[in-house]
Amino acid sequence: MAQVPAAVVAAGGLVGGYAVARWTKKRPLGGVALAAAGAVAARQWHQAGGAKASVGLSAAYLAAFGASHPLAKKVGAWPAVFAVAGTVAAASWAVTRRTDG
């Protein structure tokens, strides 16, 4: 069975985490979704690019989550989430493109 690319997992974690928090009205539940996807992506980043790639991309994932909040005040919640998710997906692809499905 083919593995879902880390770029998709990471973007899905950012979008999915926000969606879960918004629709359930339980922010901690959204955080669980965000963290679970981040852990899966970090493991894939480590397999694809080693510790340096995993640490760097995990930091970018967390920074994107943080950046989405002030960005949402300027452009709206969903556009901010999609923007940071796309940015993380692009970074993930750029770092792991030779080995990531």
Side-chain angles (χ1 to χ4, degrees), residues 4-97:
V4 176
V8 174
V9 173
L14 289 161
V15 173
Y18 175 68
V20 167
R22 181 175 176 130
W23 290 325
T24 65
K25 299 189 185 339
K26 298 189 185 315
R27 293 180 74 176
L29 195 55
V32 169
L34 178 82
V40 170
R43 182 168 185 232
Q44 290 181 261
W45 291 327
H46 189 270
Q47 290 171 342
K52 190 174 182 180
S54 181
V55 169
L57 289 168
S58 293
Y61 183 77
L62 292 172
F65 169 70
S68 68
H69 292 82
L71 183 59
K73 292 180 182 187
K74 296 180 188 280
V75 299
W78 281 112
V81 170
F82 286 129
V84 300
T87 300
V88 169
S92 176
W93 177 82
V95 171
T96 63
R97 69 180 172 261

